[in-house]
Amino acid sequence: SSGINAEWPLRPGKAATPATVSRAGILYINQADLGWNPFVTSWIDTREVQSEKANLIILFEKYVAICLETLKSRFKKITPIVDISMIKMLCYLLEGLLVPENTPPDCNKELYELYFVFAAVWAFGGAMFQDQLVDYRSEFSKWWCSEFKTIKFPSQGTVFDYYIDSETKKFNPWSDAVPNFNYDPELPLQATLVATAETHRLSFFLNLLMKRERPVMLVGSAGTGKTVLMNALMRDLGDDYTITLVPFNNYTSSMMLQSVLEKPLEKKAGRNFGPPGSKKLIYFIDDMNMPEVDEYGTVAPHTLIRQHIDYNHWYDRAKMTLKDVHNTQYVSCMNPTAGSFTINPRLQRHFCVFAVSFPGHEAQSTIYSSILTGHLDLNKFPQAVKRVADKVIQASIQLHSKINSTFLPTAIKFHYIFNLRDLSNIYQGILYSVPEVTRTAPDVIQLWMHEASRVYRDKLIDFKDVETYDKLILDLCRKTFEDIDESVFKPEVNIYTHFSNGIGELKYAPIPSYTSLNKILVEALENYNEMNAMMNLVLFRDAMEHICRINRILESPRGNALLVGVGGSGKQSLARLSAFISNLEVFQIALRKGYGLADLKLDIAGLYMKAGVKNVPTMFLMTDSQVPDDKFLVLINDLLASGEIPELFAEDEVADIISAMRNEVKAAGIMDSLENCWTFFIDRIRTTLKVVLCFSPVGSTLRVRGRMFPALINCTSIDWFHEWPLEALISVSSTFLEEVDLLEEDIKPSVAEFMAHVQITCNLKSQQYLANDRRYNYTTPKSFLEQIELYKKLLGTKHSELQSKMDRLLNGLLKLQSTSSQVDDLKAKLASQEIELKQKRKKYRLRLCVDTTA
């Protein structure tokens, strides 16, 4: 209508029809004509010191133009960033650096240039990263040192390795300012942050910007520590800040986002809203680029955030009135290899971006040396163990590097992504060690080999990759531990469990043999069957190993498992037995007609109350057949990623939970504020509630779900169930044939071996079929069990038929025998009667003759 004026930029205008475009007035603004000067000029005008203004004008003209021009062609950033965003970041950094403590009003121009260069390096180079071929940070550093020589950096390292000492006004290495690490055995390794030069410098800039309410974004691959770093920073902000976590996923909508953003707000005067009291609210948005891009190329949640940052308001969806939202700010994390990869430049321009790379060799050594040394010193391990610790750390780093270069992700091997989480999981297992069990260097090496296998080997999807891994770790052990006998690297059994001394005796120790392990697990299965529904399990070698793996995950802090295997491979049964061994109650949703997202929320809310308030250790078991709608996985993704599920509880239920947690929070020596009580509740849930997902690798479903819901892969330990080996097939078939009384004992082994041979042959033919015709034929353990049942059924049927025929034959023979006997009797009777007849006939003839004569 004539009363409405619409305005849109070029990007969403692509979806407009020619008719719409023809009625629009086109105003083209050339970026080169406008440039960055207007923003810089207006920002400099806000500065108060005149000498500072004059110096800044000169410095901007000297550095900015050439930097922007060079960045367009020579260097690659971790995510696309527009020029004005880097200029804004430079200005925001200068706001924090050009303070009276650093640059007094009477300071010389060299000092202004020193801080300007420091800020410019990070504004223009902070988003650069190292890809598989080029380290762009290193290239940028070389270019900077050769291009600008007024302010000279030390020759060692890169320009990013130094900060300005506030007293000497000289460059010092970030490594000199790294705080010491204090090992806390109570803190899960996933939440432990060991400060390194990289994390310390990121923390410095994030603090600098966040305290001035500037939006910041950490961009890096999964497992590089973005979320842990951000959480650690926000914990240290103090009581003046309140934090709201906003995890994004594929199904996040603007309505869902707005409800989460509005939840911590309270109404102020008029149409103004803000956090309670005088606090400042920080929205922490994790996985910023995960929401689905619509057909017009826009993302509704991003548009809402951009509107809020631009105008400090959004609209009430019911009343259609404005809500002015104040005292809030945004921080975010993003994985540039997930979701939509990038976000809209109109939103991206508001954030100060820092690239988070995988830690280098030196940083990894610092991190894990601090953790392992702290554990060994705290528990007073022998010197022989401490001496080999450094070699174990170096072996871990080298192994991780080789794994990354050997096992590359593909469409089928989509989960072959190895990051800092995997390295941490190795050490999480080593931290279970106790001096009574791990006394010598060989003990440590075998424990390390076991943990590395659980982290890397259990993810591998075929036997070829498993063999490659075994050869790789054996070669590495030979090179790293040269003074150790090679027999240490090839033990007959190398499995560590929490129940090696028996169920209920928690001590992480190796099992002496498969026989002893079988004895323990058979006893556990018998106890389980006495208390629960009967499970008829065959505990062959592979099955026992999977139980040990699942149990290890369930005993880990924040341990969640993704069990991947075709139908009938025993995922659910083995998970239930593992939960029983770990004293966990098992919960599984009961699908029914009409079961939807609201019902799942109610079930999870009940689990939260049970695990969080009543402190009952529980395992939440879920199979892919219990996911009728992928939206179910939105809740599971949030549960795995952070433990916080938006809108799971009503306000009154939240108040009841906080009230129930107050005494325990006080007993733990923590102030019983609302935030602390809720954090305590969520931390307990993440400790006591274990999620075990049993999914099938058949088709593309798992791959698509892994892309849409990254926590399914990133926040779980994967145990891949391979096809059953020959020994397992024979063991299973023999066990089931023991119940068949129709077979003779000497025949049963041959039948069992033939059944296994048929299954193996079908698997081989299926592989040939795939290679020749590119079509799949699945022969699963369930198929094998069905083969056994079919054999038993056919055997019974054929036996019944044969028995029936035998009975008929026997009855016929008996009838014939009876008839023959009766015939013989009749013949004998007939013979006697013939004699009588002859006698009577003779008698009658004689009488007849007498009568005639007379």
Side-chain angles (χ1 to χ4, degrees), residues 40-53:
V40 169
T41 303
S42 60
W43 177 80
I44 290 177
D45 287 342
T46 63
R47 308 301 293 174
E48 296 177 355
V49 180
Q50 290 299 322
S51 60
E52 179 185 307
K53 289 183 180 182

Side-chain angles (χ1 to χ4, degrees), residues 551-565:
N551 176 262
R552 172 186 173 276
I553 296 169
L554 295 178
E555 293 289 350
S556 301
R558 300 183 182 179
N560 303 297
L562 174 61
L563 311 182
V564 185

Side-chain angles (χ1 to χ4, degrees), residues 775-825:
R775 301 194 58 184
Y776 287 92
N777 175 60
Y778 294 101
T779 48
T780 67
K782 192 171 184 179
S783 310
F784 183 65
L785 296 175
E786 288 173 353
Q787 179 200 164
I788 298 173
E789 288 302 317
L790 178 61
Y791 175 77
K792 289 165 65 178
K793 183 178 178 181
L794 283 174
L795 186 64
T797 303
K798 294 300 180 183
H799 181 270
S800 299
E801 290 177 2
L802 188 58
Q803 188 65 46
S804 175
K805 290 178 180 179
M806 289 170 63
D807 291 343
R808 286 178 62 190
L809 178 60
L810 182 61
N811 289 336
L813 291 173
L814 290 173
K815 196 71 175 175
L816 288 172
Q817 187 179 359
S818 173
T819 305
S820 176
S821 175
Q822 290 175 1
V823 168
D824 289 343
D825 291 342

Side-chain angles (χ1 to χ4, degrees), residues 42 103-104 163 185 201 219 226 277 341 366 375 415 468 700 705 839:
S42 60
T103 54
Y163 72 100
R201 64 195 180 196
V219 183
K226 305 182 297 296
F341 308 128
T366 301
H375 171 70
H415 63 291
T468 303
S700 61
R705 286 174 174 172
Q839 290 175 351

